Amino acid sequence: MKDFEYFSASSLQEACSLISQYKDVGKVLAGGQSLITLLRQKLISPTCLIDIKGLKELDYIEFDKKSGLRIGALTTHRAIEKSPLIQEKYDVLSEMEKSVASVQTRNWGTIGGNLCSADPIGDPAPSLIVLGAKIKLVSAKGERVVALEDFFTDYFTTIIEPDEILAEIQLPPPAPNTAVEYMKFATIEAGIKIVSTSVAVTVEAGSDVCKDAKIVMSAVAPVPLITKKAAEMLKGKKLTDDVIEEAAKMAASETDPTTDVHASAEYRKEIVKVLVKRATKKAFEKAKKA
Amino acid sequence: MNERSVVGKPLPRVDGKAKLTGKAKFTTDVMLPGMLHAKLLRSPLPHAKIRSIDTSKAEKLPGVVAVITGKDTWGIRYGFVDTPNYPAEERPIAEDKVRFIGETVAAVAAIDPDTAEDALDLIEVDYDPLPPVFDPEEAMKDGAPQIHGEITRNTSCAWEDWGVARKSHSYTPVNNVAARVLVTYGDVEKGFAEAEYVREDRSRSPGTSHMAMEPHTMVASWDPFEQKLDVWMNHMAWELKRYWLHKTLDIPIPKIRIHKTYIGGGFGGKAPCFDYEVICGFLSRKLCKPIKIELTREEVFSSCRNSHRFDINIKTGVKKDGTIVAQHCSVIVDAGAYKCSAPVAMFLSHAMCDPCLDRKNVRHEGVAVYTNKNFNFARRGHGAPQMRLAADAQYDQICEDLGLDPVEFLTKNLRKKGDVIPNGDRLDSYGLPEAIKRSAEAIKWKEKRGKQRDKNRGVGIGINGMFSGSGYWPFASTAIVRLNHDGTITLMEGDCEFGQGPDTTYCQIAAEALGLTVEDVTLVSSDSELCPMNYSNFLSGGMFVGGGAVYNAAINLREKILRVASEVMRAKPEDIELKDKKAFLKSNPKRSYTFTELMRYHIQKHLGDPLIGYGYKKAVPEIEFYPSLSKGTGRFTDAYGFTASTAEVEVDRETGRIRVLKIVVAEDSGYEINTAICKGQLVSQAVQGMSDALFEEIMDDEGRVLNPNLVDYEIPRAFDIPEIEVIDCSDFEPKGPWGAKEIGECARAAVISAVVNAVYDATGVRVMKVPITPERMFNALKAQEKK
Amino acid sequence: MDSSKKTINVKVNGESYEVSIKPKMTLLQLLRNELGLTGTKQACMDNSCGACTVIVNKMAVKACSVLAMQVNGKEVTTVEGLASKDGKLSILQEAFLEHSAFQCGFCSPGKLMSSTAMLEELENPTEEDIRRDMEGNLCRCTGYVQYLEAIKSVVQKRKEGKI
C-alpha cells in the first residue's frame, strides 16, 4: 500500500469539515472492507483517509410506525442481519445480509460503506431499492435526501460529491399485503454472485391479484437494475405460473449483462429468467398470507 | 506383537499443540534480524525477446539494496526432468527472451516488501514481441513459433550427478515437442480386431491450482564466514531442494541447511525447484544478508506450477459382456513454457491406471508440447485424475451403449491379488475389488442407478490406483532411533510435515515396534542437517518408504534391545516382550529390566554402545533407476494404493447447477496407521475431487491467467460440502510398515470420475470436460433438448 | 502529506501495548511484524480466505482488511490468547486436537478464532448456523468434516452440561 495521511473524526461535523478540506485527495474510511482491497491493489491512491468508523452517532437502527426505518450508515452488516427489529419488519434485509461475504466482513463492514463502493454485484442495494429506500447525504454545506435507485450511475460510481458523507438509509414503513423475496445464484454457495434479484409483490387485500410489483436485479448491469417492464406485466393480474414466466422472460430482456470468468452474458440472462420466476412466485405466496 | 496398541488408532496429532496455539513456525513466520525482502518483476508478454533492461531508477529508490537480472544468473539451469536426453531448461531469471506471461525478468531486494514492490515499477524493460502460440496442437504444426532453441547444459545434468553413466547432450525440440512417451504391451491391433464393440472419446482436463493455504515462501541466510546457506522454505522433500540449491548456486551440499518449518499445504505444488528459490539464495549470498521472498496469492495462481492440462483421446474395445480387450490412449499434455514434469505426467497417466484393471492389450502414447503459457507440475495424482476422467467416463458410456452395469463392468475387468502386471510390479495387496463393492453398497447403487432421472438425481462410480514411491533420487529413505537415558526414544527421520501427518504416524510406527506410547517419542524431523538421508513426500512414498525406514529402524533397535535383554535375563529373545519402557519375560512378567537399565548395562559391557537403531528402505529394491519415461518399461513401484468412489448428485435442470448429495470413498491403503489422519486424507480428496469436477479451472486468454485470486477461482467452503462417507478397505501390504502403503493422492481421481458419471446418470448428458460448471451443464442440457 | 507514524494503544491477549505505526499498517501487520505474534496467518491478502481472522471486541474480523489504527483503544484476541498462560488448551483447541480437525494447520488459527467467536455468541448453533458462520474460513487440506465435528462436539458437551 502507498502511504497516506490519517485522521480519525470524533464527530460527524468534524468528518464533514475534514472531507471538505481534503476532498480532492482524500477518501472516507468506514469498515474498509472494500476500500482496503482497493488500496492494496493500488486501484486508488488517496493521500488522505478520514476514518469515521468510530462515530457512534451514525450507528443505529430505529423504527417509527409513521416514518419507517432509519439505519445509520455505520451500522454493520452483521447488526442488520441480527437485528430483531429488522427480522420482524424487513426480514428480506436480514436474509440478504446472511449471504453478504462472510461473518468477518459483516462484523466490520458497514452498510454505508457498501453502498458507497457501488459494486455492481453488491447485495444490499437491490433489496433496499425494492423496499423504496432513500439515503441522506451530508456535507459541511448541508444535507440532501435522494432515492437510492438514483444514487448509482455506473460501475463503482455514485452521485456522492467528493465532500459528502452518506449518513443514513431511510425506508418507508412496510407496505401491507406485501412480501419481498431476495434470491441469488452463484456456483458455490458462498461464491461470487452470478445474478441476484429482489422482488416485491403486493396483492390486493384478500385476493390473489397483484396490485404492485417491483423487481431489482444486481450483477446484470453497471448499476442495480429495475426491470420496470417486467414488473408492469405483473400488476393487476392474477399471478399464475404463465404470467410469472412471461414477466421473467421480459426481465431477462431488460438486462444487459457482461461476460466474465464466472458466466457469459447469455447464461446470466437465462438465470435472470429462472431467479425472477422463482422469487416472484415465492413473494406472491408470502404476500397472499401477509 | 499381535495386538496393536499404538498404530491403527486415531491418536491426536503430535504437531497439534504447536499448530493450534500459534506456536508452530511456518516459513512465512520466519523473521531474521536485518532481513531484506525481495520481489520479482514478471513479464507481461507471452513471447518476446528482451532487448534491454534498465534498472538504474529502481536501484536509486531509497530502501532498495540490489536489483538483479538475467545477466547476473545467466546459464543457471534446473528442472524436474534433467536427464541426458532431456536436459533441464528452466532458469531463475529470463535471459535473452521470455516465454510466458509471469516469467521472472528481474528481482529487487529492499528493506521492506512495499519498497521492493515500488521499485519494480521503476524497472524499464524493452521487449521485442514474438508471435506466441497457446494451443498445443497449433504449436506442433510446421511453421509455428518455436519456443525453445537448442537446450544445453554447461554442467552435468541431474541424472549424471545421481549415477547415470551417460553424458547429457543438447536437445533441440522439433515442433515444440518437449517429450514423448509410448508404452505398449500385447497386440492392440489384434485386440481391436477381436473386440465386439469399440468406442472412441475425447476428454479434457484443465490446469487447476493446488491452492495450498501458505503462499510459496523462502528465507535464505548466507553466512560469509562459514560459507554456508541457511534456508527455510516451502518444500515436499529437502533432498531435492537442497540438491538444486547446491547445483544452481555452486554451494557444496553439506553447506546448505534446510531447517524444519511446518509447511502450509503441498499437494504437489511445492516440490520442484522454483525461480524464486534460486533467486533468494543468490541474493542472500550476494548481499550477505537474510532474504525473504514471499509470493502473493496472485503470483502463486499465475506464475507457480499448476496441474497439467491434458487432452486425451481414448479408444477402448470390449466384448459384448464388457470384457476389455484393447485400449489405445493418446495424450497431449499442454506443457507450457518449460517442460518441468510434463514428460513424467504423460507416463504416470498410464502407470497409475495399469494396476487397476486388466485391459489385455494396451497402447499408451503421449506428447508434451511447449506453449507460451505458465508451466505445470504434479497435483495430487499427477496425470491419474486426467486419465481416470477419460477412462471411467468412457467405461460408463460403454455400459450405457451395451446395457451393462458400470459396477459389474469394473468388477469383470479387475486384476487379481498376486498378479504380476505387464511392467513387472506384483500386486501383493489389491483391495480394489472390495472397494468397488463397498462403495457401491454405500451409495445404494442397485436401488438408485438408472432409476432417479425423473428426480434429476444420479449415481456414478470412479476408481484409481496410486504408486507408493518409485525410483527417484536418492532412491531410499533412512531413519535413526536412539534410545534415551530414561527409556524413551528419539526418532530422526527427514520427512517434512505439510499436513499429511508423518510427524505423528512415524512416531506411532516407532512406538508400536518398541512397546512405547507416542508420548515416549521425541521427534527430530525435516531438517537436512539433523536428519539422515531422506526420500521424498511428493512421490506418494511417505508412508511406504519414509515410514518403512522408520519401521526398519525401530525394529533394528527392538532387536538390539531384545538381544541385550536376552543376555541379561539369560532367556531367548522370542520369550521376551517389550512394553512400557521395559523388557520382560512373557512367561513371568515380573522378571523385567527397564530400558534404562539395559542401556546402562550395554554401555558398560559393550564398549560404550548406547543402543541406536538404524533403518533404511529403498523405494523399489529391484531397480537401479527411474523407469524409462519414454518407453515405460521396467518396475515402477512396490505397492499400489487403490480407491473406488461413488457419488450421488442432483441437477437443477433450469440453471444447470449440480448439487452433490453424497460422496463415498472406499480406500485400500494397506493399513491405517492413524485412522483419524487417514479419514482426513480421504475427506480432503473427496472435497478436492468434487471441486475439480464442478468448479476449478485456471482460465487463461492469450497466455494471461484470468482468475488468479480466490474471488474468481472458487473453492468449496464449509457450506458446500456434501455428506461424505469413508470406508476402510485396507488390504494388508506385506512390504509396508505395519502393512501400510499410500493414501495421500489416490482418491481424488476416483471422486472426479464418480461425480462426472453421476451427472450422466442424473441427466442422460455425457460431459467429458471438467469442470462441469452450471453454465456448461445448462448448455449441455439445452443441446440435449434440441436433439 | 504527513504520513508519519501515529501512536495507538491496544490490548492484545490481555496485554496492553503502545505502538508507533504508519497509518497504512494493517492489523495483521501489526500483530505479526510489530508484536511478533505470528500465529495469525497471511494467506491470500485479498480479504477472501479468513486465515487472518482474529477477534476484536468480541467480533471475528479479518486482520488483513482492518487498519491497525482502527483497533486503537480496543481489545484484540489472537490464537496465542486462547490457551491459558500455563498451558491449558481452550475447549475448542482440545476439540480440534481430539477430532483431528486440522492438517497443515495454516488456516487453523483463523478457524479457531471464528469458531470461538461464534460459540461465544450462539449458545446452541445448528448445523446450518455453524456452516454459515464458518463460510469465511477457507481450508484446502481437511475438507471441513472433522473441523465441523469438533465444533459440534463442543456444542453437544454444552447441551449435556459437561462444560
Side-chain angles (χ1 to χ4, degrees):
Chain A
M1 264 198 257
K2 299 268 184 210
D3 280 312
F4 48 78
E5 202 164 354
Y6 172 90
F7 299 101
S8 178
S10 52
S11 71
L12 180 57
Q13 194 182 31
E14 188 191 351
C16 289
S17 158
L18 281 166
I19 193 65
S20 171
Q21 193 185 341
Y22 290 96
K23 62 177 183 285
D24 297 321
V25 297
K27 281 244 166 230
V28 170
L29 169 70
Q33 298 303 286
S34 305
L35 193 67
I36 298 206
T37 305
L38 295 175
L39 290 175
R40 217 201 325 272
Q41 290 170 353
K42 297 186 187 157
L43 293 170
I44 55 168
S45 301
T47 54
C48 165
L49 284 195
I50 294 146
D51 187 355
I52 61 168
K53 176 94 167 117
L55 295 184
K56 294 265 175 288
E57 62 192 282
L58 291 185
D59 184 1
Y60 54 86
I61 301 173
E62 286 163 12
F63 179 74
D64 178 272
K65 266 194 294 206
K66 289 216 189 75
S67 52
L69 187 71
R70 291 182 315 117
I71 308 175
L74 293 180
T75 309
T76 62
H77 294 284
R78 190 68 162 167
I80 295 172
E81 178 192 344
K82 295 284 179 185
S83 157
L85 196 160
I86 289 186
Q87 283 170 3
E88 191 204 325
K89 298 199 185 301
Y90 300 88
D91 70 303
V92 68
L93 290 184
S94 171
E95 280 307 302
M96 173 276 300
E97 286 287 5
K98 276 196 189 128
S99 69
V100 168
S102 60
V103 170
Q104 295 95 318
T105 305
R106 301 203 288 281
N107 274 334
W108 204 256
T110 65
I111 185 71
N114 175 277
L115 294 176
C116 289
S117 73
D119 191 339
I121 63 167
D123 296 282
S127 299
L128 289 168
I129 290 172
V130 93
L131 289 168
K134 292 195 173 84
I135 50 167
K136 183 163 79 176
L137 303 166
V138 305
S139 72
K141 298 196 292 265
E143 60 181 54
R144 56 179 176 141
V145 175
V146 297
L148 186 59
E149 62 190 71
D150 299 327
F151 182 58
F152 306 100
T153 56
D154 204 344
Y155 294 104
F156 306 103
T157 317
T158 69
I159 60 168
I160 200 166
E161 295 291 333
D163 64 344
E164 279 183 314
I165 297 174
L166 194 161
E168 185 179 82
I169 297 106
Q170 303 164 346
L171 291 180
N177 306 311
T178 302
V180 186
E181 190 69 21
Y182 164 79
M183 226 176 245
K184 68 165 170 91
F185 183 82
T187 306
I188 289 180
E189 183 69 29
I192 202 87
K193 271 143 219 59
I194 289 174
V195 170
S196 81
T197 185
S198 295
V199 177
V201 171
T202 306
V203 294
E204 301 276 3
S207 89
D208 53 357
V209 172
C210 169
K211 182 176 170 190
D212 198 3
K214 194 162 181 173
I215 302 169
V216 186
M217 318 273 332
S218 99
V220 296
V223 300
L225 181 71
I226 305 173
T227 51
K228 296 198 168 93
K229 290 189 201 145
E232 278 307 310
M233 286 173 74
L234 299 171
K235 291 183 192 170
K237 297 218 185 65
K238 261 196 191 158
L239 296 192
T240 61
D241 284 352
D242 287 337
V243 168
I244 293 175
E245 187 129 5
E246 288 306 306
K249 283 194 190 138
M250 175 59 78
S253 71
E254 291 182 76
T255 64
D256 184 23
T258 53
T259 293
D260 65 18
V261 294
H262 295 277
S264 68
E266 297 74 34
Y267 181 67
R268 284 197 153 95
K269 281 189 166 210
E270 295 291 341
I271 297 303
V272 169
K273 275 188 228 168
V274 177
L275 275 198
V276 168
K277 179 182 77 169
R278 290 179 182 176
T280 305
K281 196 159 178 182
K282 258 191 149 173
F284 179 52
E285 296 301 321
K286 274 195 198 159
K288 283 193 285 188
K289 293 192 189 113
Chain B
M1 277 203 294
N2 290 322
E3 276 292 308
R4 309 259 175 107
S5 50
V6 180
V7 295
K9 309 258 181 297
L11 299 182
R13 292 177 65 125
V14 307
D15 52 353
K17 290 183 182 151
K19 287 179 176 174
L20 299 173
T21 58
K23 280 191 152 46
K25 280 276 172 268
F26 293 80
T27 310
T28 44
D29 300 328
V30 174
M31 295 181 201
L32 302 175
M35 190 170 76
L36 302 174
H37 298 260
K39 288 272 177 189
L40 309 181
L41 180 68
R42 298 184 179 278
S43 166
L45 298 174
H47 200 200
K49 287 206 191 102
I50 298 175
R51 281 209 207 98
S52 65
I53 305 184
D54 182 357
T55 60
S56 53
K57 293 200 186 89
E59 287 170 49
K60 292 198 188 84
L61 186 70
V64 169
V65 177
V67 184
I68 58 170
T69 67
K71 287 208 181 74
D72 298 283
T73 57
W74 202 282
I76 295 178
R77 295 285 181 269
Y78 56 91
F80 189 74
V81 173
D82 185 22
T83 72
N85 290 337
Y86 297 110
E89 78 287 46
E90 291 175 56
R91 64 226 51 201
I93 305 181
E95 292 165 0
D96 55 334
K97 70 181 223 179
V98 292
R99 297 179 169 86
F100 70 99
I101 295 178
E103 182 159 13
T104 302
V105 298
V108 174
I111 52 172
D112 61 64
D114 278 354
T115 304
E117 213 170 278
D118 288 342
L120 296 182
D121 294 334
L122 300 174
I123 300 175
E124 288 163 3
V125 186
D126 186 11
Y127 293 103
D128 185 7
L130 297 166
V133 61
F134 302 116
D135 176 77
E137 285 177 285
E138 289 300 313
M140 284 195 283
K141 291 189 178 142
D142 288 335
Q146 289 307 297
I147 296 170
H148 286 278
E150 193 190 19
I151 298 171
T152 59
R153 290 291 259 130
N154 54 15
T155 63
S156 52
C157 70
W159 278 30
E160 287 173 80
D161 293 348
W162 298 346
V164 158
R166 274 172 287 150
K167 286 253 159 275
S168 60
H169 52 83
S170 70
Y171 170 70
T172 304
V174 173
N175 295 112
N176 287 313
V177 169
R180 289 185 194 278
V181 74
L182 173 65
V183 184
T184 62
Y185 60 78
D187 182 341
V188 146
E189 297 308 322
K190 185 158 171 281
F192 280 124
E194 285 168 4
E196 290 166 347
Y197 181 70
V198 176
R199 243 203 101 87
E200 193 165 348
D201 293 285
R202 219 178 142 99
S203 79
R204 164 167 285 203
S205 298
T208 60
S209 171
H210 309 75
M211 205 16 251
M213 291 303 287
E214 185 182 16
H216 290 56
T217 308
M218 172 161 156
V219 176
S221 182
W222 176 252
D223 180 339
F225 306 104
E226 301 292 338
Q227 292 281 296
K228 186 176 173 199
L229 193 70
D230 281 288
V231 173
W232 296 258
M233 68 194 314
N234 270 238
H235 63 91
M236 300 177 72
W238 48 257
E239 287 278 8
L240 187 65
K241 297 280 195 180
R242 185 178 62 170
Y243 168 79
W244 282 119
L245 288 173
H246 139 77
K247 187 80 176 174
T248 55
L249 302 175
D250 203 20
I251 302 171
I253 283 183
K255 290 297 201 180
I256 299 169
R257 178 177 180 180
I258 298 177
H259 294 253
K260 175 170 184 161
T261 50
Y262 290 104
I263 293 150
F267 313 114
K270 293 174 177 172
C273 183
F274 283 90
D275 53 357
Y276 74 89
E277 293 169 341
V278 180
I279 291 168
C280 191
F282 184 94
L283 280 170
S284 183
R285 185 176 54 185
K286 180 184 164 79
L287 304 173
C288 294
K289 283 218 154 244
I291 303 275
K292 185 181 210 171
I293 300 186
E294 184 178 334
L295 299 192
T296 65
R297 184 54 58 186
E298 185 177 334
E299 284 179 294
V300 175
F301 269 118
S302 59
S303 313
C304 281
R305 310 292 76 80
N306 292 316
S307 72
H308 290 96
R309 300 169 283 248
F310 267 67
D311 273 321
I312 299 180
N313 197 81
I314 181 169
K315 180 174 161 188
T316 305
V318 299
K319 297 282 190 198
K320 283 234 169 63
D321 70 353
T323 308
I324 301 173
V325 290
Q327 192 167 83
H328 178 193
C329 298
S330 298
V331 165
I332 300 177
V333 178
D334 177 357
Y338 296 90
K339 64 181 184 296
C340 201
S341 75
V344 179
M346 289 197 291
F347 165 69
L348 293 179
S349 60
H350 161 78
M352 302 305 184
C353 296
D354 210 37
C356 296
L357 304 178
D358 183 1
R359 297 171 288 162
K360 308 284 186 308
N361 302 289
V362 166
R363 183 184 174 87
H364 179 96
E365 56 192 322
V367 62
V369 187
Y370 288 119
T371 56
N372 288 117
K373 296 197 289 235
N374 186 15
F375 59 109
N376 306 313
F377 190 69
R379 181 183 162 212
R380 216 164 195 180
H382 206 181
Q386 295 92 327
M387 189 64 221
R388 287 275 36 119
L389 170 68
D392 289 343
Q394 185 179 67
Y395 297 154
D396 202 70
Q397 188 59 48
I398 288 173
C399 288
E400 188 71 20
D401 297 343
L402 297 180
L404 301 170
D405 174 73
V407 170
E408 286 170 18
F409 177 94
L410 292 173
T411 308
K412 184 179 281 294
N413 288 291
L414 285 169
R415 293 189 184 280
K416 275 188 289 305
K417 182 162 164 172
D419 271 2
V420 175
I421 67 177
N423 73 341
D425 289 343
R426 197 177 63 240
L427 303 178
D428 286 333
S429 58
Y430 181 66
L432 186 56
E434 175 82 357
I436 290 173
K437 179 166 168 285
R438 291 178 65 186
S439 63
E441 278 164 8
I443 206 80
K444 297 197 172 51
W445 183 269
K446 287 208 166 68
E447 296 100 309
K448 292 187 174 175
R449 175 73 181 190
K451 298 189 172 124
Q452 305 185 98
R453 203 164 283 175
D454 57 325
K455 283 189 254 163
N456 300 311
R457 287 188 177 185
V459 295
I461 187 165
I463 61 172
N464 195 29
M466 186 57 51
F467 67 159
S468 305
S470 187
Y472 193 86
W473 187 82
F475 304 102
S477 206
T478 58
I480 294 169
V481 181
R482 294 167 11 204
L483 189 57
N484 297 327
H485 295 295
D486 63 352
T488 63
I489 56 172
T490 295
L491 167 62
M492 305 166 83
E493 201 279 345
D495 279 353
C496 55
E497 175 61 77
F498 48 79
Q500 82 284 32
D503 274 10
T504 306
T505 51
Y506 295 0
C507 288
Q508 286 178 264
I509 289 171
E512 182 73 49
L514 293 157
L516 298 170
T517 67
V518 166
E519 287 75 22
D520 295 326
V521 185
T522 301
L523 178 68
V524 176
S525 67
S526 194
D527 186 306
S528 68
E529 204 160 273
L530 301 177
C531 301
M533 185 184 86
N534 181 245
Y535 176 62
S536 87
N537 280 108
F538 59 84
L539 287 163
S540 250
M543 175 55 71
F544 192 72
V545 187
V550 169
Y551 177 85
N552 290 340
I555 292 295
N556 182 244
L557 179 61
R558 178 187 175 85
E559 282 163 2
K560 287 180 177 174
I561 294 174
L562 284 172
R563 253 204 314 277
V564 185
S566 89
E567 191 179 308
V568 168
M569 290 198 272
R570 293 180 221 273
K572 293 201 208 108
E574 55 265 34
D575 295 333
I576 298 169
E577 187 53 84
L578 305 182
K579 193 133 181 87
D580 298 331
K581 294 178 271 186
K582 281 202 280 268
F584 56 90
L585 269 185
K586 286 182 200 173
S587 56
N588 180 9
K590 285 205 175 81
R591 268 206 75 208
S592 67
Y593 286 87
T594 65
F595 285 1
T596 302
E597 290 167 329
L598 294 173
M599 181 178 170
R600 259 189 236 142
Y601 170 88
H602 205 259
I603 290 171
Q604 295 298 335
K605 300 290 183 192
H606 289 267
L607 302 175
D609 177 356
L611 295 170
I612 299 176
Y614 166 55
Y616 43 86
K617 178 146 183 205
K618 191 172 173 203
V620 190
E622 279 124 37
I623 61 172
E624 275 191 32
F625 223 86
Y626 203 82
S628 159
L629 294 182
S630 55
K631 283 179 264 167
T633 50
R635 290 284 319 284
F636 178 51
T637 187
D638 246 12
Y640 290 93
F642 292 99
T643 311
S645 172
T646 50
E648 185 177 3
V649 306
E650 184 179 80
V651 179
D652 178 343
R653 288 190 81 101
E654 282 193 311
T655 63
R657 185 141 177 242
I658 298 163
R659 196 160 67 96
V660 179
L661 303 176
K662 182 169 178 175
I663 296 173
V664 176
V665 179
E667 177 78 20
D668 167 24
S669 60
Y671 178 76
E672 293 190 347
I673 298 287
N674 185 310
T675 49
I677 288 177
C678 288
K679 177 176 170 179
Q681 289 298 301
L682 300 178
V683 169
S684 172
Q685 290 179 80
V687 174
Q688 285 195 9
M690 173 185 86
S691 191
D692 290 312
L694 303 180
F695 311 131
E696 295 187 40
E697 181 178 2
I698 293 284
M699 292 184 236
D700 60 67
D701 179 46
E702 304 272 297
R704 189 172 61 89
V705 173
L706 301 174
N707 57 343
N709 57 68
L710 283 168
V711 169
D712 296 323
Y713 184 98
E714 294 184 299
I715 289 171
R717 293 167 184 258
F719 214 88
D720 302 296
I721 58 166
E723 182 189 344
I724 299 173
E725 183 177 343
V726 308
I727 305 176
D728 179 7
C729 294
S730 289
D731 190 22
F732 185 89
E733 169 49 57
K735 305 183 296 297
W738 303 108
K741 52 185 177 174
E742 100 84 48
I743 194 174
E745 50 174 335
C746 192
R748 175 178 163 239
V751 174
I752 296 173
S753 299
V755 172
V756 166
N757 285 340
V759 168
Y760 176 79
D761 190 40
T763 61
V765 172
R766 176 74 56 195
V767 181
M768 283 179 75
K769 183 174 154 180
V770 286
I772 312 178
T773 59
E775 183 165 352
R776 287 205 178 117
M777 186 78 254
F778 180 86
N779 291 337
L781 289 168
K782 280 276 168 291
Q784 180 197 42
E785 274 166 29
K786 284 201 179 109
K787 276 194 207 147
Chain C
M1 170 182 73
D2 174 18
S3 62
S4 56
K5 291 187 173 185
K6 297 212 182 304
T7 304
I8 61 163
N9 288 284
V10 60
K11 217 175 196 174
V12 182
N13 299 328
E15 282 183 39
S16 297
Y17 295 91
E18 187 179 274
V19 202
S20 178
I21 58 168
K22 288 208 138 194
K24 69 175 179 174
M25 180 172 278
T26 62
L27 174 56
L28 183 60
Q29 289 165 332
L30 173 75
L31 294 169
R32 288 177 59 82
N33 303 342
E34 293 296 313
L35 303 182
L37 296 167
T38 57
T40 310
K41 302 303 180 199
Q42 177 171 297
C44 76
M45 294 307 284
D46 202 5
N47 202 359
S48 299
C49 74
C52 62
T53 304
V54 296
I55 296 175
V56 176
N57 282 16
K58 295 198 182 315
M59 296 180 292
V61 300
K62 284 182 258 194
C64 73
S65 302
V66 172
L67 281 191
M69 296 300 307
Q70 290 193 327
V71 299
N72 187 23
K74 295 195 167 44
E75 286 192 31
V76 179
T77 312
T78 69
V79 68
E80 288 97 338
L82 290 181
S84 74
K85 291 215 172 14
D86 61 354
K88 191 165 185 303
L89 296 179
S90 76
I91 290 160
L92 255 176
Q93 286 170 315
E94 287 283 2
F96 270 46
L97 199 54
E98 189 190 323
H99 290 266
S100 215
F102 60 97
Q103 289 182 26
C104 82
F106 203 72
C107 75
S108 298
K111 276 182 179 152
L112 276 166
M113 301 320 291
S114 282
S115 40
T116 298
M118 181 197 67
L119 289 176
E120 303 257 302
E121 193 191 334
L122 295 176
E123 178 66 29
N124 195 6
T126 62
E127 171 98 24
E128 186 175 325
D129 288 333
I130 296 171
R131 286 190 183 216
R132 210 170 268 294
D133 279 11
M134 292 307 109
E135 236 164 74
N137 289 86
L138 185 65
C139 176
R140 189 55 157 169
C141 291
T142 66
Y144 304 102
V145 168
Q146 285 150 305
Y147 161 55
L148 294 173
E149 283 170 359
I151 299 176
K152 282 187 270 191
S153 77
V154 175
V155 175
Q156 185 59 27
K157 282 198 174 112
R158 261 191 196 170
K159 271 196 202 150
E160 291 166 5
K162 288 183 181 156
I163 44 163

